[in-house]
Amino acid sequence: MKKLILVSNDDGYMAKGVRELMGMLAPYGEVVAVCPHVGRSGQSMALTFDAPLRIEEVESPVAGARLYSCSGTPVDCVKVSRECVLGGRLPDLVVAGINHGSNASVNVVYSGTMGAVQEGAMWGVPAIGFSLTSHDADADFMAVRPAVDALVPKLLEEGLSEGLFINVNVPHGVAHAPMMFCRECKAHWSEEYQQYKDPMGKTFFMLAGHMVNDEPESTDTDLYALAHGRTSVVAELLDRTAPAPQVPAWLRTLASK
Amino acid sequence: MKKLILVSNDDGYMAKGVRELMGMLAPYGEVVAVCPHVGRSGQSMALTFDAPLRIEEVESPVAGARLYSCSGTPVDCVKVSRECVLGGRLPDLVVAGINHGSNASVNVVYSGTMGAVQEGAMWGVPAIGFSLTSHDADADFMAVRPAVDALVPKLLEEGLSEGLFINVNVPHGVAHAPMMFCRECKAHWSEEYQQYKDPMGKTFFMLAGHMVNDEPESTDTDLYALAHGRTSVVAELLDRTAPAPQVPAWLRTLASK
């Protein structure tokens, strides 16, 4: 039986990133994409339990592949697909992206695209997300193809240790960026909220800011890789329980009284 | 200077859980709560960057404490509070909850309450979430008080290793549940989508399901603790990079070519 590849994203079913990704994946299996009806960036692993979810098949940009639009979040798209689109069958691989913009470093926790990847990984199937460091709606996503061709067939053949998922970020504007296996960089968003007055004179705020690398000297991080023209490949954990040595003794002691 | 304790939740500023929590925290410092205007359960770490955020101070249920209602997600509440409510000062502790319902095991990834905790931990300050395993709007949250009294002053005195946050779940209906330091249980949601027809005859789906413990024999997990009348205390990691031994060799090799 042909391998089944479930695809999702957070930029919505109309985004160029996911449409190009479907074409790149088609040689490796049966591709079914279930994507948000509109852009749902920054939705993390948000899910919908108190509102109707609607799904409809839309015209696929790739022959032989299927594309669905769903009214929910990226996590909803993955969750609902199994029962309502795939007839209960688990896919052999979940792929999300290609995200319009970086999901490196701490962005991984806010990203709806990486939320879809984690949701897939929670089924116990290999799951990987691809992002390109450009927010341009018409960016050249072909830069991501070498990473897809290197990683996707391997994941389909070898699988992935249960409890892991993969976050791949490709630097925009670099031809044939070599891959670098690395770790999540410590970074933070330096946030500023811009203040506005609405037409009624009431105050509102909008999020602005930029990401700051908290370990600019480190050479083994995803932000280092991207800054040096490489594609970052990070393996991430689903289970976040801290290993005992990292937990202060007072906490372990107190809590076991 | 009095310790500054920032509080948030995902059940909204009207929820009994956060109002009782504010009272429990008041003896330990200056309490400022910034909570969603409406219930935002299941919002994970979703954030708002494309819509106005509005904040207004509302009547506090606790003398000397302040309470704000915010139009955003729990992560937005934490993010916006620093600049727009706290005048740039970092709190000494971020506390979220008391959540109406369990955030044990895999629930941690979907929970808006735990999203607020993680956002606080990303500032590098100690952060902890409290949940009670009851969805009753009028549940008896006093069951959580012993855990608050044991953990909050200690976190204010000793801090917490950077990169960690704490997830506390209290079993409903148990008097003086002892605390148990444990790990996140492997579990999954057995999901079913119920299918409906709207008045126009169009199909929609709604999420149903129940959580299944994938390691019912384990005695060191949060689900074990709760099932045995104990309060679960789990220390969790912010940085999810998988340790090298868990990553298959082919992935490390392939990616470093």
Side-chain angles (χ1 to χ4, degrees):
Chain A
M1 190 155 60
K2 234 179 160 181
K3 297 281 190 180
L4 177 60
I5 304 175
L6 177 67
V7 175
S8 193
N9 76 344
D10 71 5
D11 294 307
Y13 79 96
M14 290 294 289
K16 184 178 177 184
V18 71
R19 290 169 170 258
E20 300 260 323
L21 180 61
M22 290 173 72
M24 295 177 202
L25 294 172
Y28 302 115
E30 181 189 348
V31 173
V32 179
V34 183
C35 298
H37 182 60
V38 294
R40 299 296 293 262
S41 291
Q43 284 288 294
S44 187
M45 296 199 70
L47 53 77
T48 305
F49 56 85
D50 55 359
L53 280 180
R54 296 169 188 273
I55 313 169
E56 68 174 326
E57 189 164 3
V58 294
E59 193 180 338
S60 169
V62 175
R66 283 183 285 153
L67 175 59
Y68 294 81
S69 160
C70 168
S71 62
T73 65
V75 160
D76 291 330
C77 290
V78 172
K79 276 190 188 292
V80 79
S81 69
R82 183 167 172 193
E83 192 175 321
C84 305
V85 175
L86 304 178
R89 182 176 166 198
L90 267 187
D92 297 289
L93 179 67
V94 173
V95 187
I98 299 169
N99 197 69
H100 292 240
S102 168
N103 279 325
S105 184
V106 293
N107 292 334
V108 68
V109 302
Y110 303 114
S111 166
T113 293
M114 291 309 300
V117 171
Q118 290 170 68
E119 185 63 32
M122 287 168 76
W123 283 337
V125 306
I128 186 167
F130 293 96
S131 304
L132 181 68
T133 63
S134 165
H135 285 95
D136 185 350
D138 193 36
D140 179 12
F141 287 96
M142 281 304 133
V144 183
R145 175 153 230 161
V148 169
D149 286 336
L151 295 169
V152 163
K154 205 70 184 160
L155 284 169
L156 286 169
E157 281 160 33
E158 307 273 342
L160 185 62
S161 326
E162 201 167 320
L164 297 190
F165 60 97
I166 300 177
N167 183 12
V168 178
N169 285 272
V170 177
H172 174 64
V174 178
H176 306 291
M179 283 189 286
M180 179 176 153
F181 183 76
C182 48
R183 65 179 173 84
E184 208 180 284
C185 192
K186 293 187 203 323
H188 70 276
W189 280 87
S190 171
E191 270 141 4
E192 295 139 38
Y193 280 87
Q194 291 190 21
Q195 190 169 329
Y196 301 81
K197 291 279 182 199
D198 72 12
M200 303 297 285
K202 287 197 163 181
T203 300
F204 68 86
F205 300 93
M206 291 192 79
L207 183 59
H210 60 281
M211 195 159 72
V212 179
N213 183 337
D214 291 328
E215 42 173 338
E217 308 299 322
S218 300
T219 59
D220 59 347
T221 70
D222 51 5
L223 293 188
Y224 174 89
L226 293 168
H228 291 79
R230 305 199 193 165
T231 291
S232 66
V233 180
V234 178
E236 309 248 11
L237 294 169
L238 280 180
D239 181 346
R240 308 175 71 162
T241 304
Q246 291 192 31
V247 181
W250 70 262
L251 178 61
R252 284 179 275 153
T253 316
L254 181 82
S256 58
K257 262 179 203 160
Chain B
M1 190 155 63
K2 233 178 162 181
K3 297 281 190 181
L4 177 60
I5 304 174
L6 176 67
V7 175
S8 194
N9 77 342
D10 71 5
D11 294 307
Y13 79 97
M14 290 294 289
K16 183 178 177 184
V18 72
R19 290 169 170 257
E20 301 259 324
L21 179 61
M22 290 173 72
M24 294 177 202
L25 294 172
Y28 301 115
E30 181 189 347
V31 173
V32 178
V34 183
C35 299
H37 183 61
V38 294
R40 298 296 293 261
S41 291
Q43 284 287 294
S44 187
M45 295 199 70
L47 53 76
T48 306
F49 56 85
D50 55 359
L53 280 181
R54 296 170 188 272
I55 313 169
E56 68 174 328
E57 188 165 2
V58 294
E59 193 181 340
S60 169
V62 175
R66 284 184 284 152
L67 176 58
Y68 294 80
S69 160
C70 169
S71 62
T73 65
V75 159
D76 291 329
C77 290
V78 172
K79 277 190 188 294
V80 80
S81 69
R82 184 168 171 192
E83 193 175 321
C84 305
V85 175
L86 304 178
R89 182 177 166 197
L90 266 187
D92 299 288
L93 179 66
V94 173
V95 186
I98 300 167
N99 197 69
H100 292 239
S102 169
N103 280 325
S105 184
V106 293
N107 292 335
V108 69
V109 302
Y110 302 114
S111 166
T113 293
M114 292 309 299
V117 171
Q118 291 170 69
E119 185 63 33
M122 287 168 76
W123 283 337
V125 306
I128 186 167
F130 292 97
S131 303
L132 181 68
T133 62
S134 165
H135 285 96
D136 185 350
D138 193 37
D140 179 12
F141 287 96
M142 281 304 133
V144 183
R145 175 153 231 161
V148 170
D149 286 336
L151 296 170
V152 164
K154 205 69 185 163
L155 284 169
L156 285 168
E157 281 160 33
E158 308 273 342
L160 185 63
S161 325
E162 201 166 320
L164 297 189
F165 60 96
I166 300 177
N167 184 12
V168 177
N169 285 271
V170 177
H172 174 65
V174 178
H176 306 291
M179 283 189 285
M180 180 175 153
F181 183 75
C182 48
R183 65 179 173 84
E184 208 179 284
C185 192
K186 293 188 204 322
H188 69 276
W189 280 87
S190 170
E191 271 140 4
E192 295 139 36
Y193 280 86
Q194 291 190 21
Q195 189 169 331
Y196 301 81
K197 291 280 182 200
D198 73 12
M200 303 297 286
K202 289 197 163 182
T203 300
F204 67 86
F205 299 92
M206 291 192 81
L207 182 59
H210 60 281
M211 196 160 71
V212 180
N213 183 336
D214 291 328
E215 42 173 338
E217 308 298 322
S218 299
T219 59
D220 59 347
T221 70
D222 51 5
L223 293 187
Y224 174 90
L226 292 168
H228 291 79
R230 303 198 194 166
T231 291
S232 65
V233 180
V234 178
E236 310 247 11
L237 295 168
L238 281 180
D239 181 346
R240 308 175 71 162
T241 304
Q246 291 191 31
V247 180
W250 71 261
L251 178 59
R252 283 179 278 154
T253 316
L254 181 80
S256 58
K257 263 179 204 160

